[in-house]
Amino acid sequence: MVTTAQTIIISGYYGFHNSGDEAVLKSILTALEEESRQAGITVKPVVLSSDPAWTQKMYGVEAVPRMSLGEVRRAIKNSDGLISGGGSLLQDATSPKSIPYYLAILKLAQWAGKPTFVYAQGIGPVQRKIFYPMIRSVFQRCEYVSVRDEQSAALLDTMKLKNPVVEVVPDPVMGLPLPRGSELHKAATETDQDQPPIVGVSVRYWDKERRDLKAIAEGLKKLAAERRVHLRFLPFHLPDDEQASRMVMDLLGDIRRTRSIVSMCDQVTDPQQMLLEVSRCSLMIGMRLHSLIYAASHQVPPLGISYDPKIDHFLSRVGSQPVGTTEALDGQKLANESMRLLDQRSQWIESQGAAIALLKSEARLPAQHIVNYLCRKG
């Protein structure tokens, strides 16, 4: 039996006030806390953050600056292990610096003789094959590797990673619960029959010509012309998503004559509060991956617009496919699919309920494995 607190470093894209990545962190912290309590041990997380003061205030955990080599090394030296994940950390589409950074953090822990764990990561795209042997070298020294989809596992297989065995698990956010005390308020909101159904909308900048956002605005206008709805814009990454949301809202023009409502959720950085917002929706139209995961995890049909294979991969796990891509999106099809899902929400929940329940349960597997390891080694 472990009698002292086990300190675990958590490395990821944290402290940037991106609701999706913060949801990943909150999900990992929650899962570790619950699994360690059931195992009768204490796990003390230390988060590598871009904004340590904010992370400490938001989650009540210790945090150190992720780019301060001295502080990171000291934290690792005083730890009992390191978790890398989740999210899309090992990819070179947004920057060639991401893969070297996250591998270096893992390597520092391995050089210090600490066990390392990869937690439900989305691997790729990795366009520069020079990174393949680097990833394989670091991962084969990990105690445990889990990825969030089969495609990530297949990519690791092409890198000739044989050990450890890679476990495919859902995104950690599938296991994120609503904030305590919110269920009664949510239930009261849902019983108001005079209010139109809430359609959540999560948009981001992607296409430089903004053709994707213009097509979304066209589809939402057609939807509002056919149905009385409440279009609720939910920015996941501040401030960029707020700006993208306002652009779409401006393109909608004055739709008050349709009796529909347009609003935006302002300045929400707490992932569970954003999860509560999504859970109140009858439909979620999303470009952000975690807007779709939030929705599915709380039985809100997701209607995804794909800019990356990770959107397609997740939707396939809940019996869906993208309504279009950022390169090719038809506004009329967006409106038609929205109305179909609003009409068939109960059927969607019935058909996908078992799959969603399984995903929520399996999202805890990495935390269970890590806690079990700490119990054995402690």
Side-chain angles (χ1 to χ4, degrees), residues 309-338:
K310 65 186 180 183
I311 301 291
D312 309 64
H313 298 162
F314 172 72
L315 289 174
S316 69
R317 301 189 77 174
V318 291
S320 300
Q321 60 184 5
V323 67
T325 69
T326 51
E327 296 177 348
L329 177 64
D330 179 76
Q332 186 63 61
K333 183 178 180 182
L334 177 65
N336 291 343
E337 283 299 297
S338 297

Side-chain angles (χ1 to χ4, degrees), residues 199 219 223 227 282-285 301-304 319-324 329-345:
V199 175
L223 172 62
R227 298 287 180 88
S282 297
L283 170 69
M284 184 71 222
I285 300 172
L303 189 57
S320 300
Q321 60 184 5
V323 67
L329 177 64
D330 179 76
Q332 186 63 61
K333 183 178 180 182
L334 177 65
N336 291 343
E337 283 299 297
S338 297
M339 288 185 282
R340 182 183 69 81
L341 285 172
L342 286 171
D343 289 339
Q344 300 178 10
R345 181 186 179 189

Side-chain angles (χ1 to χ4, degrees), residues 13-29 47 49-51 54-55 58-59 173 176 236 269-272 290 294:
Y13 192 75
Y14 306 133
F16 291 93
H17 303 203
N18 181 330
S19 182
D21 291 291
E22 297 304 325
V24 169
L25 175 57
K26 179 64 176 179
S27 302
I28 293 173
L29 292 172
V47 178
S49 171
S50 178
D51 189 345
W54 181 83
T55 297
M58 176 65 71
Y59 305 110
V173 177
L176 184 64
F236 272 66
T269 55
D270 186 317
Q272 285 182 297
H290 283 103
Y294 277 24

